[in-house]
Amino acid sequence: MAQTILITGGTGFIGSHTVVELIEHGYDVVIADNLSNSKLEPLNRIERITGTRPRFHEVDMRDRDGMNALFEAEPGIQAVIHFAGLKAVGESVEKPLEYYENNINGTLVLCETMRAHGCKTIIFSSSATVYGENPVPYVETMQKLPASNPYGWTKWMIEEILTDLHTADPTWNVMLLRYFNPIGAHPSGLMGEDPRGIPNNLLPYVAQVAVGRRECVHVFGNDYPTADGTGERDYIHVMDLAAGHVAALEWMLAQPEPSVEIFNLGTGKGTSVLEIIRAFSDACGHEIPYVIDPRRPGDLPASWADATRAKEILGWEAKYDIAQMCADSWNWQSHNPEGYTD
Ligand code: NAD
Ligand code: UD1
């Protein structure tokens, strides 16, 4: 019988793509999301792509009764992939209480509910942000450095909370996946990133300029100590990231003993802002206008993964290049210029 996996935040960007990948690998998927940063439409898209409609529960992670009711209605949950959380860095600086409350409390209530129902296997969406100002490439064995914003601290702290949980009760099986910069979209053009308001992240911004929703890209600084002076990041195709979750889950469920494991999910390569703009211009077939602005406070010059551990242990590595990431982003954006419309 298919194993049942609960995906929190499963109507969001990374969650929805991971749901597709899980269904295609034969898993039975249940989604929990409060729709604070997503819509219901991805459920229709998932069904169109896979032929299966995942079960959906509209519930807030912090709602004890709601979470309990979910686990009662879905008695066979074997593992949880926990994507649900607020993720806008700038907003987290303005609303620290909301970010700590949502991300930390949501995780605590989720774990308490899991424990009460005998499910102690969790994969958590962490971030490269926990490496702080370590030198690149980032290796999992590096010490974590202080975060520069409340969002980053929530990732930092939830890693600690889940590690403490395993220390106190070694039957907890914990996987911390540190994502680099997820971009791209499902190759069908049916699913992609649909940020609310003005995008903070580079790729959705570039895509909206390409489609004519915004005037020009603002490049945040061209005086960094990098090859062309603009910031370098490890962009990873969201489908590669989704495949990384399936590889992580399969590996985890096959281990004889529960443990706490950390894996970077990145490509191991850095790409600059100007290289991204050029690659996206090639993908969409026209020039993308940009201006050079001052640096954005808190930005690092460069961030990329040492992706060796995931390859050696999980047998997973990213396979899509920047050209494909931009082509798939463009395919999504050009077919859905206003994102998901119901
Ligand atoms: P997203 O906003 O598209 O998805 C997150 C989902 O969680 C949304 O659908 C939102 O409605 C839901 N959610 C938020 N708070 C909730 C709550 N209290 N209860 C129930 N549902 C809730 O974001 P994403 O890009 O898909 O990111 C998924 C996870 O990966 C997040 O935890 C994010 O911090 C982490 N992450 C993302 C990136 C990135 O660049 N996108 C990088 C590193 C880590
Ligand atoms: C940001 C967050 C990080 C979070 C990640 C995913 C900060 C400091 N870091 O990462 O914690 O995990 O998003 O949500 O916010 N850029 C521009 N113009 C733009 C937007 C970005 O030039 O309009 C540049 C940035 O300076 C950076 C690169 O593009 O060099 C990537 O930026 P972005 O997509 O925001 O991701 P990160 O800053 O890496």
Side-chain angles (χ1 to χ4, degrees):
M1 216 177 87
Q3 290 173 305
T4 303
I5 313 297
L6 173 65
I7 311 297
T8 77
T11 44
F13 173 44
I14 307 171
S16 58
H17 289 79
T18 303
V19 167
V20 165
E21 200 70 12
L22 286 166
I23 292 173
E24 286 177 347
H25 279 79
Y27 289 95
D28 174 47
V29 175
V30 176
I31 295 177
D33 201 299
N34 68 355
L35 303 176
S36 61
N37 197 40
S38 57
K39 297 176 182 155
L40 286 171
E41 181 58 19
L43 297 174
N44 297 329
R45 308 291 175 103
I46 291 167
E47 189 175 4
R48 274 175 72 183
I49 293 169
T50 66
T52 301
R53 192 174 185 85
R55 296 191 294 291
F56 176 74
H57 297 257
E58 185 173 344
V59 61
D60 193 301
M61 293 298 106
R62 297 163 294 177
D63 171 3
R64 254 168 234 284
D65 294 343
M67 290 301 289
N68 203 41
L70 184 160
F71 275 82
E72 270 168 14
E74 304 284 354
I77 295 170
Q78 309 217 329
V80 177
I81 307 184
H82 179 34
F83 293 101
L86 298 175
K87 62 160 186 176
V89 171
E91 188 183 58
S92 80
V93 175
E94 288 155 24
K95 299 180 176 173
L97 290 183
E98 284 81 352
Y99 268 68
Y100 286 118
E101 211 271 321
N102 189 78
N103 293 3
I104 308 253
N105 207 15
T107 304
L108 295 179
V109 173
L110 170 66
C111 291
E112 283 165 12
T113 315
M114 287 172 67
R115 183 176 59 186
H117 291 268
C119 173
K120 295 183 180 174
T121 298
I122 185 166
I123 296 181
F124 173 60
S125 302
S126 190
S127 164
T129 193
V130 302
Y131 290 109
E133 293 188 24
N134 271 297
V136 286
Y138 300 145
V139 189
E140 291 89 342
T141 47
M142 282 173 165
Q143 210 184 358
K144 297 201 288 184
L145 293 180
S148 54
N149 54 72
Y151 164 77
W153 277 119
T154 67
K155 295 295 171 198
W156 210 105
M157 290 177 194
I158 293 168
E159 285 199 351
E160 299 301 307
I161 291 168
L162 296 177
T163 304
D164 287 346
L165 203 51
H166 172 83
T167 306
D169 173 359
T171 63
W172 275 90
N173 208 0
V174 174
M175 175 91 70
L176 310 174
L177 297 181
R178 295 177 177 165
Y179 311 157
F180 283 69
N181 291 56
I183 64 168
H186 191 269
S188 64
L190 286 169
M191 295 197 334
E193 192 169 8
D194 182 18
R196 296 202 171 165
I198 302 172
N200 299 299
N201 295 118
L202 179 64
L203 247 290
Y205 202 102
V206 170
Q208 291 191 5
V209 172
V211 83
R213 269 173 79 180
R214 307 197 184 273
E215 216 167 287
C216 71
V217 179
H218 297 262
V219 177
F220 298 148
N222 66 349
D223 56 352
Y224 284 108
T226 56
D228 66 19
T230 65
E232 293 175 342
R233 296 290 183 272
D234 187 341
Y235 297 97
I236 174 168
H237 198 298
V238 66
M239 294 309 297
D240 273 331
L241 199 57
H245 285 76
V246 175
L249 180 70
E250 282 176 350
W251 182 85
M252 207 178 177
L253 294 175
Q255 294 315 296
E257 295 293 332
S259 60
V260 179
E261 301 290 337
I262 305 176
F263 290 99
N264 287 338
L265 293 184
T267 66
K269 291 184 207 78
T271 303
S272 76
V273 177
L274 294 181
E275 285 172 329
I276 287 287
I277 293 174
R278 224 168 292 128
F280 210 98
S281 299
D282 291 344
C284 72
H286 59 84
E287 283 303 305
I288 298 197
Y290 67 88
V291 290
I292 306 293
D293 274 8
R295 293 180 180 193
R296 180 171 64 179
D299 273 357
L300 296 167
S303 152
W304 65 83
D306 179 324
T308 317
R309 186 165 197 263
K311 184 176 178 185
E312 286 181 356
I313 297 178
L314 305 179
W316 168 90
E317 67 182 319
K319 50 180 195 213
Y320 296 106
D321 62 12
I322 292 287
Q324 193 62 48
M325 298 181 214
C326 291
D328 287 335
S329 281
W330 175 242
N331 188 32
W332 154 253
Q333 188 72 54
S334 54
H335 288 98
N336 305 266
E338 302 299 327
Y340 289 113
T341 44
D342 296 326

Coordinates of all heavy atoms in Angstrom, one line a residue, residues 87 89 127 129 151 181 200-202 205 218-220 231 233 235 273 296 298-299, ligand 2:
K87 N 8.1 33.5 4.6 CA 9.5 33.5 4.1 C 10.0 34.8 3.6 O 11.1 34.8 2.9 CB 9.5 32.4 3.0 CG 8.6 32.8 1.8 CD 9.0 32.1 0.5 CE 8.2 32.5 -0.6 NZ 8.5 31.9 -1.9
V89 N 12.0 37.9 3.8 CA 13.1 38.4 4.7 C 12.8 39.9 5.2 O 12.8 40.1 6.4 CB 14.4 38.4 4.0 CG1 15.5 39.1 4.8 CG2 14.8 36.9 3.7
S127 N 17.4 26.6 5.2 CA 17.9 27.5 4.2 C 19.4 27.7 4.3 O 19.9 27.6 5.4 CB 17.2 28.8 4.4 OG 17.8 29.9 3.7
T129 N 20.7 30.3 4.5 CA 20.8 31.5 5.3 C 21.5 31.1 6.6 O 22.2 32.0 7.2 CB 19.5 32.2 5.5 OG1 19.7 33.5 6.1 CG2 18.5 31.4 6.4
Y151 N 13.5 36.1 9.9 CA 13.2 34.9 9.1 C 14.4 33.9 9.2 O 14.2 32.7 9.5 CB 13.1 35.3 7.6 CG 13.2 34.1 6.7 CD1 12.1 33.2 6.5 CD2 14.3 33.9 5.9 CE1 12.2 32.1 5.7 CE2 14.5 32.8 5.1 CZ 13.4 31.9 5.0 OH 13.5 30.8 4.1
N181 N 18.9 28.7 -3.8 CA 17.9 29.6 -4.4 C 17.0 28.9 -5.4 O 17.4 28.8 -6.6 CB 18.6 30.8 -5.0 CG 19.2 31.7 -4.0 OD1 20.1 31.3 -3.2 ND2 18.9 33.0 -4.0
N200 N 10.2 40.0 -3.9 CA 11.5 40.3 -3.3 C 12.7 39.6 -4.0 O 13.8 40.1 -4.0 CB 11.5 39.9 -1.8 CG 10.4 40.5 -1.0 OD1 10.4 41.7 -0.9 ND2 9.5 39.7 -0.5
N201 N 12.4 38.4 -4.5 CA 13.5 37.6 -5.0 C 13.7 38.0 -6.5 O 12.8 38.4 -7.2 CB 13.1 36.1 -4.8 CG 13.1 35.7 -3.4 OD1 12.0 35.3 -2.9 ND2 14.2 35.9 -2.7
L202 N 14.9 37.7 -6.9 CA 15.4 38.1 -8.2 C 14.5 37.5 -9.3 O 14.0 38.2 -10.2 CB 16.9 37.8 -8.4 CG 17.4 38.2 -9.8 CD1 17.4 39.7 -9.9 CD2 18.8 37.7 -9.9
Y205 N 11.0 38.6 -10.0 CA 11.0 40.0 -10.5 C 11.4 40.1 -12.0 O 10.7 40.8 -12.8 CB 12.0 40.8 -9.6 CG 11.7 42.3 -9.6 CD1 11.0 42.9 -8.6 CD2 12.0 43.1 -10.7 CE1 10.7 44.3 -8.6 CE2 11.7 44.4 -10.8 CZ 11.0 45.0 -9.7 OH 10.7 46.3 -9.8
H218 N 15.9 46.0 -10.9 CA 16.9 46.8 -10.1 C 18.0 45.9 -9.7 O 17.7 45.0 -8.9 CB 16.2 47.4 -8.9 CG 15.1 48.4 -9.4 ND1 15.3 49.8 -9.4 CD2 13.9 48.2 -9.9 CE1 14.3 50.4 -9.9 NE2 13.3 49.5 -10.2
V219 N 19.2 46.1 -10.1 CA 20.3 45.2 -9.7 C 20.9 45.8 -8.5 O 21.4 47.0 -8.5 CB 21.4 45.2 -10.9 CG1 22.6 44.3 -10.4 CG2 20.8 44.6 -12.1
F220 N 20.9 45.0 -7.4 CA 21.3 45.6 -6.1 C 22.8 45.5 -5.9 O 23.3 44.6 -5.3 CB 20.6 44.8 -5.0 CG 19.1 44.9 -5.0 CD1 18.3 43.9 -4.5 CD2 18.5 46.1 -5.4 CE1 16.9 44.0 -4.5 CE2 17.1 46.2 -5.4 CZ 16.3 45.2 -4.9
G231 N 26.0 40.2 -7.3 CA 25.9 39.1 -6.3 C 25.8 37.7 -7.0 O 25.1 37.6 -8.1
R233 N 24.7 33.7 -6.7 CA 23.9 32.7 -5.9 C 23.8 31.4 -6.6 O 24.1 31.3 -7.8 CB 22.4 33.2 -5.8 CG 22.3 34.6 -5.0 CD 22.5 34.4 -3.5 NE 22.3 35.6 -2.8 CZ 23.2 36.5 -2.6 NH1 24.5 36.4 -3.1 NH2 23.0 37.6 -1.8
Y235 N 21.5 29.1 -7.8 CA 20.1 28.9 -8.2 C 19.8 27.4 -8.6 O 20.7 26.8 -9.2 CB 19.7 29.8 -9.5 CG 19.9 31.2 -9.1 CD1 21.1 31.9 -9.4 CD2 18.9 31.9 -8.5 CE1 21.2 33.3 -9.1 CE2 19.0 33.3 -8.1 CZ 20.2 33.9 -8.4 OH 20.3 35.2 -8.1
V273 N 23.9 38.1 -10.9 CA 22.6 38.8 -11.3 C 22.6 39.1 -12.8 O 21.6 38.8 -13.5 CB 22.4 40.1 -10.4 CG1 21.1 40.8 -10.9 CG2 22.3 39.8 -9.0
R296 N 21.6 46.0 -1.5 CA 20.5 45.8 -0.6 C 21.1 45.4 0.8 O 21.9 44.4 0.9 CB 19.6 44.6 -1.1 CG 18.4 44.3 -0.2 CD 17.4 43.3 -0.9 NE 18.0 42.0 -1.1 CZ 17.4 41.0 -1.7 NH1 16.1 41.1 -2.1 NH2 18.0 39.8 -1.9
G298 N 22.1 43.7 4.1 CA 22.0 42.3 4.5 C 22.4 41.3 3.4 O 22.5 40.1 3.7
D299 N 22.6 41.7 2.2 CA 23.0 40.8 1.1 C 24.4 40.4 1.2 O 25.3 41.2 1.5 CB 22.7 41.4 -0.3 CG 21.3 41.2 -0.8 OD1 20.5 40.5 -0.1 OD2 21.0 41.7 -1.8
Ligands
UD1_2 C1 16.9 35.8 -0.1 C2 17.1 35.9 1.4 C3 17.3 34.5 2.0 C4 16.1 33.6 1.6 C5 16.0 33.6 0.0 C6 14.8 32.8 -0.4 C7 18.0 38.1 1.9 C8 19.2 38.8 2.4 N1 18.2 36.7 1.8 O1 18.1 35.2 -0.6 O2 17.4 34.5 3.4 O3 16.3 32.2 2.0 O4 15.8 35.0 -0.4 O5 13.6 33.5 -0.1 O6 17.0 38.7 1.5 N2 18.7 40.9 -6.5 C9 18.7 42.0 -7.3 N3 17.5 42.7 -7.6 C10 16.3 42.2 -7.1 C11 16.3 41.1 -6.2 C12 17.5 40.5 -5.9 O7 19.8 42.5 -7.8 O8 15.3 42.8 -7.4 C13 20.0 40.2 -6.2 C14 20.4 40.1 -4.7 O9 21.2 41.2 -4.4 C15 21.1 38.8 -4.7 C16 20.5 38.0 -5.9 O10 19.8 38.9 -6.7 O11 22.5 39.0 -5.1 C17 19.4 37.0 -5.3 O12 18.5 37.7 -4.5 P1 17.2 36.9 -3.9 O13 16.5 36.3 -5.0 O14 16.5 37.9 -3.1 O15 17.8 35.8 -3.0 P2 18.8 35.9 -1.8 O16 19.2 37.3 -1.4 O17 20.0 35.0 -2.1

